Amino acid sequence: MRRLILPVVAAATLSACLPGGRDLPPTLATLTPSTPAPENIDRLSDPENAVTVEMPIVPQALQADRIPVHVGPTAIAYVTDAIWIDRPAPLFRQLVSETIARRTRRVVLEPAQGVAQAGLRVTGTLHHFGYHADTREAVVVYDAAIRRNGVVETRRFEARGPADGTAATVPAALNAAANEVAVQVADWIGG
């Protein structure tokens, strides 16, 4: 009986931890759209006017579920007790997709849907998605690119918001800044 109980207790203990032995914080952070959802998002479009938002390229500091803190020009720490529910790239991609769907009349497709090759593909690099200790701000910087009418267009989108460097303020400030960037991207795409 003792041999059966020990693995069950060990598994239950480990399930409350993250990879690397980190304990789960009381809550996990996520991004939520601030743009109100329309009553109906039923849309009909030809493939040329559909949009697909691709997963952004991210630096190494954003390839984890933790929120980076930029301490000076060359050092990175992480916000204590703040963990994203997923990595920043998929959270940001989903937020931009949802914001485009809510703010425009375009059909927005997920990359894995394979329903049609979208006429407009949004690609880009999410350079910053964290807290800057020197300015005490949450910072989101996204360089986007699209090909429209045979021409490649690029644009940098940036938003900042005050925070105090704690898990109580940084995720909310990043959510607000990410929403500001997502709105800018949706308005740039138009339609």
Side-chain angles (χ1 to χ4, degrees), residues 70-161:
H70 298 269
V71 184
T74 60
I76 293 180
Y78 290 96
V79 176
T80 304
D81 293 330
I83 296 174
W84 292 115
I85 199 162
D86 198 353
R87 294 174 332 277
L91 289 173
F92 183 76
R93 189 203 63 75
Q94 181 58 42
L95 178 69
V96 172
S97 292
E98 184 64 22
T99 302
I100 292 169
R102 290 179 179 202
R103 286 187 67 87
T104 71
R105 297 288 307 150
R106 292 181 179 268
V107 170
V108 180
L109 301 172
E110 294 294 316
Q113 278 181 305
V115 173
Q117 181 63 34
L120 193 63
R121 288 182 49 233
V122 180
T123 62
T125 302
L126 186 59
H127 292 286
H128 293 283
F129 194 80
Y131 179 73
H132 287 241
D134 56 342
T135 60
R136 298 182 56 82
E137 294 176 307
V139 179
V140 177
V141 178
Y142 177 58
D143 284 345
I146 58 175
R147 181 178 176 175
R148 182 173 13 208
N149 302 323
V151 177
V152 176
E153 299 176 40
T154 62
R155 186 173 291 180
R156 173 166 281 188
F157 301 96
E158 184 172 338
R160 297 168 177 267

Side-chain angles (χ1 to χ4, degrees), residues 4-15:
L4 291 175
I5 292 175
L6 223 61
V8 171
V9 171
T13 303
L14 288 175
S15 68

Side-chain angles (χ1 to χ4, degrees), residues 17-84:
C17 296
L18 294 171
R22 296 181 291 152
D23 289 332
L24 281 171
T27 60
L28 299 175
T30 192
L31 298 178
T32 55
S34 61
T35 300
E39 254 183 60
N40 188 343
I41 304 185
D42 289 344
R43 310 245 166 91
L44 181 64
S45 173
D46 56 6
E48 291 80 33
N49 289 315
V51 178
T52 301
V53 178
E54 299 290 337
M55 192 73 68
I57 298 166
V58 295
Q60 185 66 37
L62 296 178
Q63 293 183 11
D65 57 4
R66 299 181 72 193
I67 301 173
V69 176
H70 298 269
V71 184
T74 60
I76 293 180
Y78 290 96
V79 176
T80 304
D81 293 330
I83 296 174
W84 292 115

